[in-house]
Amino acid sequence: MHLLATVADMDLTVSVIGSGTADPHLDAIAVRVGELLAKAGAVVVCGGLDGVMAAVCRGARAGGGRTVGILPGTAAEEANRWVDLALPTGIGEARNLLVVRAGRAVIAIGGGFGTLSELAFARKLGAPVVGLDTWRLPDDGVTHVDTPDDAVRVALVAAGQVD
């Protein structure tokens, strides 16, 4: 069985994407998203490093959930300390495709060009994407929301987990 298929099928998985740095506003949003996903029983998948990725993992752990970090480098030790399962890929930013592919839905929080690439991959794959304070492009197919609660609710509906 393919590794990503295993991760995506092990439970409800939601990928959270965002920049490797986070100001206090984005940090708080990401922590709340992580907590809410954990309480809903979702496994949080992210790029496993700092910033939004660390904040969402921190929140998921606080909510009693599990986290997966798909890392760009070759060392599991590069993961932030809230990652439960570190998957070093050694493929650099190309791992962005794996991050979005591993979730049944994607939540984008803030972000730079790496996040933009993940948004593009997610839309190309037809994955449902929810955006919070992130890129806005014409006809981007992203459901933009204003709160972490709305982001998680919309993502869970898109993933087929709630009505």
Side-chain angles (χ1 to χ4, degrees):
M1 184 180 294
H2 190 270
L3 175 60
L4 285 182
T6 303
V7 170
D9 292 336
M10 66 189 225
D11 280 308
L12 166 61
T13 53
V14 175
S15 297
V16 179
I17 60 176
S19 74
T21 60
D23 63 28
H25 172 71
L26 290 180
D27 190 82
I29 288 172
V31 167
R32 179 72 176 148
V33 164
E35 288 174 330
L36 292 170
L37 287 171
K39 289 178 181 174
V43 174
V44 171
V45 178
C46 69
L49 299 177
D50 296 324
V52 166
M53 298 168 278
V56 74
C57 289
R58 198 167 69 245
R61 282 283 202 79
R66 294 178 293 160
T67 61
V68 175
I70 301 178
L71 304 169
T74 59
E77 298 77 28
E78 295 173 351
N80 71 65
R81 65 184 177 152
W82 299 280
V83 168
D84 293 311
L85 175 60
L87 301 173
T89 65
I91 60 174
E93 295 302 317
R95 70 73 152 89
N96 291 355
L97 176 60
L98 303 177
V99 171
V100 298
R101 176 64 185 92
R104 294 187 188 175
V106 177
I107 299 175
I109 302 170
F113 289 117
T115 305
L116 181 59
S117 76
E118 289 167 319
L119 285 167
F121 284 134
R123 295 308 306 137
K124 180 79 171 168
L125 293 169
V129 181
V130 182
L132 272 166
D133 291 339
T134 194
W135 292 90
R136 287 182 181 264
L137 303 170
D139 301 320
D140 62 7
V142 174
T143 303
H144 293 278
V145 297
D146 295 322
T147 69
D149 296 68
D150 288 343
V152 170
R153 181 183 49 77
V154 171
L156 294 175
V157 169
Q161 296 303 301
V162 294
D163 297 321

